[in-house]
Amino acid sequence: MKTVEKISWNEDELFNYVKAGNKDAFEQLYRNHSVGIYCNLRKMTKNDALAKELLQDVFIKVWEKKAVLNPKKPFRFYLFRIAQNSVTDFYRRVRRDNHMIENLRLLTSEITHQPIESVIAGEEEELMLKAMEALPPQRKKIFILCKLEGKSYEEVSGLLGISTSTIGDHIVKGTKYIRKQLIKAGDILLFLGF
């Protein structure tokens, strides 16, 4: 195992060596700035484990973007900016995750007869409507009446002249199909931040 030699570069040299892909310089960058960035992340998140995880993300992003670093700005500027953006992105993903999980819970619920259009908006609505269009005609009609218009199984049964158990079967199969289409398209993973 190679022992890392502690070289003492000034900030300009360190910057140039990291930009060129020098791993020893990157390790020095980490040693020089990780404690300060961690403390900043800890203040922003109020969570030790999350701050440690985001700290690793910050330095991974620096390494990945090393070729586009601007030598006219100090490393500290980049690190704190990336840290701030990482926290913002994390909380944005959490909000999206919670919103999508709630929408999926409502969509897959077999016992609710509440309209779901009020909780699904924008891209999510577009994705769901696209998947719904692919349902067989009868299933699509039943799904729209129950899930989008909020009609009860009994009301739909009366309108279409079919049993409530058939209505329930169509809703279950329609919901499974729509969920499968969303997952298959990968769009659900985008919303969940994977």
Side-chain angles (χ1 to χ4, degrees):
M1 180 174 189
K2 180 185 168 194
T3 305
V4 176
E5 183 182 330
K6 290 189 178 181
I7 303 170
S8 208
W9 289 299
N10 66 39
E11 283 292 308
D12 290 336
E13 290 172 326
L14 185 62
F15 193 98
N16 289 325
Y17 283 119
V18 169
K19 189 171 170 102
N22 183 305
K23 291 181 182 178
D24 291 333
F26 184 75
E27 288 177 23
Q28 182 179 330
L29 171 75
Y30 185 85
R31 284 191 305 272
N32 292 355
H33 296 285
S34 62
V35 173
I37 298 301
Y38 167 77
C39 290
N40 192 39
L41 287 165
R42 181 71 174 90
K43 277 188 231 173
M44 288 190 282
T45 63
K46 311 271 190 275
N47 182 304
D48 188 54
L50 178 58
K52 287 177 182 175
E53 184 179 327
L54 291 175
L55 177 68
Q56 298 307 309
D57 289 344
V58 167
F59 282 94
I60 289 169
K61 286 176 186 172
V62 168
W63 183 253
E64 289 172 346
K65 296 179 183 210
K66 64 187 176 293
V68 296
L69 295 174
N70 181 353
K72 293 180 179 156
K73 294 185 180 178
F75 261 132
R76 197 168 187 79
F77 167 82
Y78 282 110
L79 295 173
F80 280 98
R81 175 62 70 191
I82 292 171
Q84 185 178 24
N85 290 343
S86 293
V87 171
T88 302
D89 291 346
F90 172 80
Y91 285 117
R92 195 175 287 143
R93 278 192 314 269
V94 167
R95 246 189 335 268
R96 264 195 320 250
D97 291 356
N98 290 339
H99 183 73
M100 187 52 128
I101 288 167
E102 180 61 19
N103 286 342
L104 284 174
R105 188 186 65 74
L106 290 170
L107 181 63
T108 59
S109 172
E110 297 172 12
I111 56 171
T112 184
H113 301 293
Q114 299 299 315
I116 58 174
E117 68 179 352
S118 60
V119 294
I120 298 178
E123 288 183 56
E124 296 167 24
E125 181 179 20
E126 190 176 316
L127 293 170
M128 190 195 79
L129 291 175
K130 187 176 179 182
M132 196 173 60
E133 285 300 316
L135 291 173
Q138 181 77 344
R139 188 163 294 154
K140 179 179 162 186
K141 184 187 294 185
I142 291 169
F143 193 86
I144 290 170
L145 290 169
C146 290
K147 292 293 187 175
L148 297 180
E149 295 181 13
K151 296 191 183 308
S152 70
Y153 287 11
E154 290 78 20
E155 289 174 302
V156 175
S157 175
L159 283 171
L160 301 178
I162 53 179
S163 72
T164 55
S165 62
T166 302
I167 303 288
D169 185 57
H170 277 291
I171 292 297
V172 169
K173 288 177 180 172
T175 300
K176 284 181 183 177
Y177 177 80
I178 289 171
R179 183 174 17 140
K180 182 179 172 186
Q181 291 304 110
L182 291 173
I183 292 170
K184 186 177 176 182
D187 294 312
I188 191 81
L189 297 176
L190 174 67
F191 286 118
L192 294 174
F194 291 107

